[in-house]
mmCIF file of all heavy atoms in Angstrom:
data_model
loop_
_atom_site.group_PDB
_atom_site.id
_atom_site.type_symbol
_atom_site.label_atom_id
_atom_site.label_comp_id
_atom_site.label_asym_id
_atom_site.label_seq_id
_atom_site.Cartn_x
_atom_site.Cartn_y
_atom_site.Cartn_z
ATOM 1 N N TYR A 65 -5.512 -15.358 9.380
ATOM 2 C CA TYR A 65 -4.326 -15.344 8.516
ATOM 3 C C TYR A 65 -4.099 -16.642 7.747
ATOM 4 O O TYR A 65 -3.495 -16.657 6.691
ATOM 5 C CB TYR A 65 -3.079 -14.983 9.322
ATOM 6 C CG TYR A 65 -3.014 -13.513 9.611
ATOM 7 C CD1 TYR A 65 -3.200 -13.004 10.885
ATOM 8 C CD2 TYR A 65 -2.818 -12.620 8.562
ATOM 9 C CE1 TYR A 65 -3.187 -11.650 11.137
ATOM 10 C CE2 TYR A 65 -2.800 -11.259 8.796
ATOM 11 C CZ TYR A 65 -2.979 -10.780 10.083
ATOM 12 O OH TYR A 65 -2.965 -9.436 10.303
ATOM 13 N N ARG A 67 -6.425 -18.507 6.433
ATOM 14 C CA ARG A 67 -7.639 -18.875 5.694
ATOM 15 C C ARG A 67 -7.376 -19.474 4.311
ATOM 16 O O ARG A 67 -8.100 -20.362 3.866
ATOM 17 C CB ARG A 67 -8.572 -17.675 5.569
ATOM 18 C CG ARG A 67 -8.028 -16.537 4.699
ATOM 19 C CD ARG A 67 -8.840 -15.271 4.877
ATOM 20 N NE ARG A 67 -8.305 -14.171 4.075
ATOM 21 C CZ ARG A 67 -7.179 -13.508 4.347
ATOM 22 N NH1 ARG A 67 -6.440 -13.859 5.407
ATOM 23 N NH2 ARG A 67 -6.772 -12.532 3.570
ATOM 24 N N TYR A 69 -4.999 -21.330 3.321
ATOM 25 C CA TYR A 69 -4.254 -22.597 3.295
ATOM 26 C C TYR A 69 -5.032 -23.752 3.916
ATOM 27 O O TYR A 69 -4.491 -24.825 4.114
ATOM 28 C CB TYR A 69 -2.903 -22.411 4.018
ATOM 29 C CG TYR A 69 -2.156 -21.188 3.523
ATOM 30 C CD1 TYR A 69 -2.117 -20.016 4.270
ATOM 31 C CD2 TYR A 69 -1.540 -21.209 2.271
ATOM 32 C CE1 TYR A 69 -1.470 -18.886 3.790
ATOM 33 C CE2 TYR A 69 -0.902 -20.088 1.780
ATOM 34 C CZ TYR A 69 -0.863 -18.924 2.543
ATOM 35 O OH TYR A 69 -0.233 -17.818 2.064
ATOM 36 N N VAL A 76 -13.468 -18.572 1.615
ATOM 37 C CA VAL A 76 -12.792 -17.796 2.652
ATOM 38 C C VAL A 76 -13.497 -16.457 2.801
ATOM 39 O O VAL A 76 -14.185 -15.995 1.888
ATOM 40 C CB VAL A 76 -11.294 -17.540 2.325
ATOM 41 C CG1 VAL A 76 -10.515 -18.838 2.269
ATOM 42 C CG2 VAL A 76 -11.144 -16.755 1.034
ATOM 43 N N SER A 77 -13.336 -15.851 3.974
ATOM 44 C CA SER A 77 -13.886 -14.523 4.165
ATOM 45 C C SER A 77 -12.930 -13.742 5.064
ATOM 46 O O SER A 77 -12.218 -14.333 5.875
ATOM 47 C CB SER A 77 -15.269 -14.603 4.805
ATOM 48 O OG SER A 77 -15.826 -13.308 4.888
ATOM 49 N N SER A 78 -12.916 -12.444 4.878
ATOM 50 C CA SER A 78 -12.041 -11.602 5.688
ATOM 51 C C SER A 78 -12.451 -11.646 7.155
ATOM 52 O O SER A 78 -13.634 -11.636 7.480
ATOM 53 C CB SER A 78 -12.123 -10.178 5.160
ATOM 54 O OG SER A 78 -12.059 -9.272 6.218
ATOM 55 N N GLU A 79 -11.480 -11.697 8.039
ATOM 56 C CA GLU A 79 -11.807 -11.788 9.469
ATOM 57 C C GLU A 79 -12.517 -10.532 9.978
ATOM 58 O O GLU A 79 -13.230 -10.589 10.969
ATOM 59 C CB GLU A 79 -10.547 -12.056 10.274
ATOM 60 C CG GLU A 79 -9.539 -10.927 10.230
ATOM 61 C CD GLU A 79 -8.112 -11.461 10.204
ATOM 62 O OE1 GLU A 79 -7.823 -12.304 9.340
ATOM 63 O OE2 GLU A 79 -7.322 -11.040 11.049
ATOM 64 N N ILE A 80 -12.316 -9.423 9.308
ATOM 65 C CA ILE A 80 -12.989 -8.186 9.730
ATOM 66 C C ILE A 80 -14.503 -8.345 9.538
ATOM 67 O O ILE A 80 -15.307 -8.037 10.421
ATOM 68 C CB ILE A 80 -12.426 -6.987 8.947
ATOM 69 C CG1 ILE A 80 -10.959 -6.780 9.344
ATOM 70 C CG2 ILE A 80 -13.255 -5.717 9.190
ATOM 71 C CD1 ILE A 80 -10.193 -5.824 8.480
ATOM 72 N N LEU A 81 -14.898 -8.885 8.381
ATOM 73 C CA LEU A 81 -16.318 -9.110 8.116
ATOM 74 C C LEU A 81 -16.867 -10.194 9.043
ATOM 75 O O LEU A 81 -17.998 -10.096 9.517
ATOM 76 C CB LEU A 81 -16.519 -9.506 6.652
ATOM 77 C CG LEU A 81 -16.046 -8.455 5.637
ATOM 78 C CD1 LEU A 81 -16.043 -9.032 4.234
ATOM 79 C CD2 LEU A 81 -16.932 -7.219 5.687
ATOM 80 N N GLN A 103 -1.730 -10.743 16.539
ATOM 81 C CA GLN A 103 -0.709 -9.905 15.908
ATOM 82 C C GLN A 103 -1.225 -8.620 15.277
ATOM 83 O O GLN A 103 -0.471 -7.902 14.628
ATOM 84 C CB GLN A 103 0.116 -10.707 14.901
ATOM 85 C CG GLN A 103 -0.651 -11.144 13.668
ATOM 86 C CD GLN A 103 0.256 -11.785 12.628
ATOM 87 O OE1 GLN A 103 1.414 -12.041 12.871
ATOM 88 N NE2 GLN A 103 -0.288 -12.030 11.444
ATOM 89 N N VAL A 116 -20.263 -4.219 7.769
ATOM 90 C CA VAL A 116 -19.143 -3.333 8.097
ATOM 91 C C VAL A 116 -19.315 -1.998 7.379
ATOM 92 O O VAL A 116 -19.504 -1.950 6.169
ATOM 93 C CB VAL A 116 -17.803 -3.986 7.679
ATOM 94 C CG1 VAL A 116 -16.642 -3.024 7.886
ATOM 95 C CG2 VAL A 116 -17.575 -5.264 8.468
ATOM 96 N N ASN A 118 -17.069 0.713 8.125
ATOM 97 C CA ASN A 118 -15.719 1.254 7.993
ATOM 98 C C ASN A 118 -14.810 0.464 8.943
ATOM 99 O O ASN A 118 -15.293 -0.130 9.903
ATOM 100 C CB ASN A 118 -15.717 2.744 8.383
ATOM 101 C CG ASN A 118 -14.520 3.475 7.807
ATOM 102 O OD1 ASN A 118 -13.647 2.879 7.179
ATOM 103 N ND2 ASN A 118 -14.452 4.768 8.042
ATOM 104 N N PHE A 119 -13.517 0.455 8.654
ATOM 105 C CA PHE A 119 -12.610 -0.242 9.569
ATOM 106 C C PHE A 119 -11.211 0.340 9.489
ATOM 107 O O PHE A 119 -10.835 0.921 8.483
ATOM 108 C CB PHE A 119 -12.571 -1.746 9.252
ATOM 109 C CG PHE A 119 -11.912 -2.071 7.928
ATOM 110 C CD1 PHE A 119 -10.551 -2.367 7.877
ATOM 111 C CD2 PHE A 119 -12.633 -2.075 6.746
ATOM 112 C CE1 PHE A 119 -9.933 -2.656 6.656
ATOM 113 C CE2 PHE A 119 -12.027 -2.364 5.529
ATOM 114 C CZ PHE A 119 -10.678 -2.660 5.484
ATOM 115 N N MET A 121 -7.070 -0.812 10.762
ATOM 116 C CA MET A 121 -6.315 -1.943 11.268
ATOM 117 C C MET A 121 -4.895 -1.473 11.539
ATOM 118 O O MET A 121 -4.298 -0.801 10.714
ATOM 119 C CB MET A 121 -6.336 -3.021 10.186
ATOM 120 C CG MET A 121 -5.604 -4.274 10.518
ATOM 121 S SD MET A 121 -6.108 -5.556 9.322
ATOM 122 C CE MET A 121 -4.695 -6.617 9.411
ATOM 123 N N ASP A 123 -1.509 -2.711 11.502
ATOM 124 C CA ASP A 123 -0.986 -3.947 10.936
ATOM 125 C C ASP A 123 0.509 -3.880 10.662
ATOM 126 O O ASP A 123 1.045 -4.625 9.900
ATOM 127 C CB ASP A 123 -1.724 -4.291 9.640
ATOM 128 C CG ASP A 123 -1.591 -3.200 8.603
ATOM 129 O OD1 ASP A 123 -0.913 -2.195 8.868
ATOM 130 O OD2 ASP A 123 -2.170 -3.346 7.528
ATOM 131 N N ARG A 124 1.197 -2.960 11.290
ATOM 132 C CA ARG A 124 2.596 -2.832 10.927
ATOM 133 C C ARG A 124 3.534 -3.470 11.960
ATOM 134 O O ARG A 124 4.633 -3.831 11.655
ATOM 135 C CB ARG A 124 2.904 -1.347 10.700
ATOM 136 C CG ARG A 124 4.028 -1.012 9.736
ATOM 137 C CD ARG A 124 4.057 -1.843 8.478
ATOM 138 N NE ARG A 124 5.430 -2.147 8.139
ATOM 139 C CZ ARG A 124 5.846 -2.792 7.069
ATOM 140 N NH1 ARG A 124 4.984 -3.213 6.188
ATOM 141 N NH2 ARG A 124 7.109 -3.012 6.868
ATOM 142 N N LYS A 203 -10.435 7.554 12.928
ATOM 143 C CA LYS A 203 -10.934 7.189 11.599
ATOM 144 C C LYS A 203 -12.364 6.657 11.601
ATOM 145 O O LYS A 203 -13.124 6.902 10.690
ATOM 146 C CB LYS A 203 -10.008 6.138 10.969
ATOM 147 C CG LYS A 203 -8.733 6.722 10.395
ATOM 148 C CD LYS A 203 -8.949 7.202 8.951
ATOM 149 C CE LYS A 203 -7.816 8.040 8.411
ATOM 150 N NZ LYS A 203 -6.627 7.279 8.143
ATOM 151 N N GLN B 315 6.575 3.847 2.868
ATOM 152 C CA GLN B 315 6.891 4.288 4.218
ATOM 153 C C GLN B 315 7.821 5.494 4.207
ATOM 154 O O GLN B 315 8.804 5.515 3.467
ATOM 155 C CB GLN B 315 7.594 3.153 4.940
ATOM 156 C CG GLN B 315 6.812 2.660 6.123
ATOM 157 C CD GLN B 315 7.393 1.362 6.616
ATOM 158 O OE1 GLN B 315 8.588 1.224 6.726
ATOM 159 N NE2 GLN B 315 6.533 0.412 6.874
ATOM 160 N N ASP B 328 -8.495 10.852 1.006
ATOM 161 C CA ASP B 328 -9.504 10.045 1.695
ATOM 162 C C ASP B 328 -10.850 10.794 1.693
ATOM 163 O O ASP B 328 -11.874 10.280 1.246
ATOM 164 C CB ASP B 328 -9.008 9.796 3.139
ATOM 165 C CG ASP B 328 -9.952 8.922 3.954
ATOM 166 O OD1 ASP B 328 -11.150 8.875 3.634
ATOM 167 O OD2 ASP B 328 -9.488 8.300 4.930
ATOM 168 N N ARG B 332 -14.196 9.646 -0.528
ATOM 169 C CA ARG B 332 -15.429 9.242 0.159
ATOM 170 C C ARG B 332 -16.565 10.240 -0.068
ATOM 171 O O ARG B 332 -17.679 9.860 -0.381
ATOM 172 C CB ARG B 332 -15.192 9.110 1.662
ATOM 173 C CG ARG B 332 -14.426 7.864 2.056
ATOM 174 C CD ARG B 332 -14.324 7.799 3.572
ATOM 175 N NE ARG B 332 -13.118 7.125 3.999
ATOM 176 C CZ ARG B 332 -13.053 5.807 4.233
ATOM 177 N NH1 ARG B 332 -14.102 5.067 4.067
ATOM 178 N NH2 ARG B 332 -11.925 5.274 4.625
ATOM 179 N N MET B 340 -8.948 3.379 0.790
ATOM 180 C CA MET B 340 -8.089 2.748 1.781
ATOM 181 C C MET B 340 -6.643 3.153 1.526
ATOM 182 O O MET B 340 -6.224 3.252 0.391
ATOM 183 C CB MET B 340 -8.215 1.234 1.661
ATOM 184 C CG MET B 340 -7.594 0.492 2.800
ATOM 185 S SD MET B 340 -8.031 -1.254 2.713
ATOM 186 C CE MET B 340 -6.745 -1.782 1.673
ATOM 187 N N THR B 344 3.410 0.975 3.204
ATOM 188 C CA THR B 344 4.232 -0.232 3.197
ATOM 189 C C THR B 344 5.618 0.067 2.638
ATOM 190 O O THR B 344 5.937 1.215 2.336
ATOM 191 C CB THR B 344 3.525 -1.357 2.393
ATOM 192 O OG1 THR B 344 4.287 -2.555 2.487
ATOM 193 C CG2 THR B 344 3.390 -0.994 0.923
ATOM 194 N N ASP B 345 6.452 -0.987 2.549
ATOM 195 C CA ASP B 345 7.787 -0.811 1.965
ATOM 196 C C ASP B 345 8.007 -1.886 0.904
ATOM 197 O O ASP B 345 7.064 -2.519 0.469
ATOM 198 C CB ASP B 345 8.859 -0.820 3.054
ATOM 199 C CG ASP B 345 8.871 -2.126 3.837
ATOM 200 O OD1 ASP B 345 8.213 -3.092 3.382
ATOM 201 O OD2 ASP B 345 9.519 -2.190 4.891
ATOM 202 N N SER B 349 7.087 -8.621 4.214
ATOM 203 C CA SER B 349 6.699 -9.009 5.567
ATOM 204 C C SER B 349 5.233 -8.730 5.888
ATOM 205 O O SER B 349 4.640 -9.413 6.696
ATOM 206 C CB SER B 349 7.600 -8.309 6.585
ATOM 207 O OG SER B 349 7.379 -6.914 6.520
ATOM 208 N N ASP B 350 4.649 -7.733 5.254
ATOM 209 C CA ASP B 350 3.260 -7.383 5.609
ATOM 210 C C ASP B 350 2.257 -7.808 4.549
ATOM 211 O O ASP B 350 1.108 -7.395 4.574
ATOM 212 C CB ASP B 350 3.145 -5.876 5.863
ATOM 213 C CG ASP B 350 3.610 -5.085 4.657
ATOM 214 O OD1 ASP B 350 4.105 -5.687 3.685
ATOM 215 O OD2 ASP B 350 3.472 -3.844 4.682
ATOM 216 N N GLU B 352 0.528 -10.539 3.972
ATOM 217 C CA GLU B 352 -0.706 -11.174 4.444
ATOM 218 C C GLU B 352 -1.619 -10.174 5.154
ATOM 219 O O GLU B 352 -2.836 -10.248 5.049
ATOM 220 C CB GLU B 352 -0.383 -12.347 5.377
ATOM 221 C CG GLU B 352 0.232 -13.552 4.669
ATOM 222 C CD GLU B 352 -0.688 -14.146 3.593
ATOM 223 O OE1 GLU B 352 -1.900 -14.266 3.843
ATOM 224 O OE2 GLU B 352 -0.191 -14.476 2.499
ATOM 225 N N ARG B 353 -1.009 -9.253 5.875
ATOM 226 C CA ARG B 353 -1.840 -8.272 6.605
ATOM 227 C C ARG B 353 -2.504 -7.320 5.615
ATOM 228 O O ARG B 353 -3.650 -6.918 5.804
ATOM 229 C CB ARG B 353 -0.993 -7.492 7.590
ATOM 230 C CG ARG B 353 -0.335 -8.402 8.605
ATOM 231 C CD ARG B 353 0.365 -7.590 9.638
ATOM 232 N NE ARG B 353 1.471 -8.347 10.197
ATOM 233 C CZ ARG B 353 2.045 -8.045 11.334
ATOM 234 N NH1 ARG B 353 1.632 -7.008 12.022
ATOM 235 N NH2 ARG B 353 3.035 -8.770 11.780
ATOM 236 N N LYS B 355 -3.314 -8.121 2.719
ATOM 237 C CA LYS B 355 -4.342 -8.928 2.071
ATOM 238 C C LYS B 355 -5.644 -8.959 2.874
ATOM 239 O O LYS B 355 -6.730 -8.937 2.303
ATOM 240 C CB LYS B 355 -3.820 -10.352 1.867
ATOM 241 C CG LYS B 355 -4.405 -11.042 0.676
ATOM 242 C CD LYS B 355 -3.673 -12.335 0.437
ATOM 243 C CE LYS B 355 -3.927 -12.839 -0.961
ATOM 244 N NZ LYS B 355 -3.093 -13.995 -1.261
ATOM 245 N N VAL B 356 -5.525 -9.013 4.208
ATOM 246 C CA VAL B 356 -6.728 -9.006 5.049
ATOM 247 C C VAL B 356 -7.526 -7.733 4.772
ATOM 248 O O VAL B 356 -8.745 -7.762 4.565
ATOM 249 C CB VAL B 356 -6.352 -9.057 6.548
ATOM 250 C CG1 VAL B 356 -7.586 -8.810 7.410
ATOM 251 C CG2 VAL B 356 -5.728 -10.394 6.898
ATOM 252 N N ARG B 357 -6.829 -6.613 4.733
ATOM 253 C CA ARG B 357 -7.524 -5.334 4.540
ATOM 254 C C ARG B 357 -8.102 -5.226 3.132
ATOM 255 O O ARG B 357 -9.239 -4.800 2.950
ATOM 256 C CB ARG B 357 -6.571 -4.178 4.824
ATOM 257 C CG ARG B 357 -6.116 -4.168 6.264
ATOM 258 C CD ARG B 357 -5.061 -3.127 6.499
ATOM 259 N NE ARG B 357 -5.533 -1.815 6.090
ATOM 260 C CZ ARG B 357 -4.748 -0.798 5.794
ATOM 261 N NH1 ARG B 357 -3.450 -0.934 5.876
ATOM 262 N NH2 ARG B 357 -5.246 0.351 5.442
ATOM 263 N N GLN B 359 -8.875 -7.651 1.080
ATOM 264 C CA GLN B 359 -9.977 -8.588 0.897
ATOM 265 C C GLN B 359 -11.260 -8.061 1.551
ATOM 266 O O GLN B 359 -12.345 -8.200 1.000
ATOM 267 C CB GLN B 359 -9.608 -9.965 1.465
ATOM 268 C CG GLN B 359 -10.580 -11.031 1.002
ATOM 269 C CD GLN B 359 -10.141 -12.430 1.386
ATOM 270 O OE1 GLN B 359 -9.238 -12.622 2.200
ATOM 271 N NE2 GLN B 359 -10.772 -13.412 0.817
ATOM 272 N N THR B 360 -11.105 -7.442 2.723
ATOM 273 C CA THR B 360 -12.280 -6.875 3.389
ATOM 274 C C THR B 360 -12.911 -5.797 2.515
ATOM 275 O O THR B 360 -14.119 -5.784 2.288
ATOM 276 C CB THR B 360 -11.878 -6.261 4.748
ATOM 277 O OG1 THR B 360 -11.188 -7.248 5.504
ATOM 278 C CG2 THR B 360 -13.098 -5.809 5.522
ATOM 279 N N GLU B 363 -14.637 -7.439 -0.431
ATOM 280 C CA GLU B 363 -15.883 -8.132 -0.051
ATOM 281 C C GLU B 363 -16.996 -7.137 0.298
ATOM 282 O O GLU B 363 -18.165 -7.447 0.178
ATOM 283 C CB GLU B 363 -15.637 -9.056 1.152
ATOM 284 C CG GLU B 363 -15.029 -10.403 0.787
ATOM 285 C CD GLU B 363 -14.996 -11.344 1.980
ATOM 286 O OE1 GLU B 363 -16.060 -11.785 2.411
ATOM 287 O OE2 GLU B 363 -13.889 -11.626 2.487
ATOM 288 N N MET B 364 -16.583 -5.941 0.735
ATOM 289 C CA MET B 364 -17.589 -4.926 1.120
ATOM 290 C C MET B 364 -18.241 -4.272 -0.090
ATOM 291 O O MET B 364 -19.293 -3.666 0.017
ATOM 292 C CB MET B 364 -16.932 -3.836 1.978
ATOM 293 C CG MET B 364 -16.733 -4.221 3.433
ATOM 294 S SD MET B 364 -15.602 -3.076 4.261
ATOM 295 C CE MET B 364 -16.635 -1.599 4.326
#
Side-chain angles (χ1 to χ4, degrees):
Chain A
Y65 283 110
R67 67 193 179 287
Y69 310 103
V76 296
S77 184
S78 143
E79 65 217 53
I80 294 169
L81 300 169
Q103 68 173 8
V116 174
N118 201 356
F119 68 93
M121 180 165 156
D123 59 1
R124 208 42 219 184
K203 282 274 168 72
Chain B
Q315 243 168 44
D328 182 336
R332 285 183 210 269
M340 192 171 87
T344 185
D345 60 12
S349 65
D350 57 355
E352 290 300 318
R353 300 186 207 198
K355 210 171 198 173
V356 170
R357 296 174 56 201
Q359 194 172 13
T360 306
E363 278 188 69
M364 280 166 70

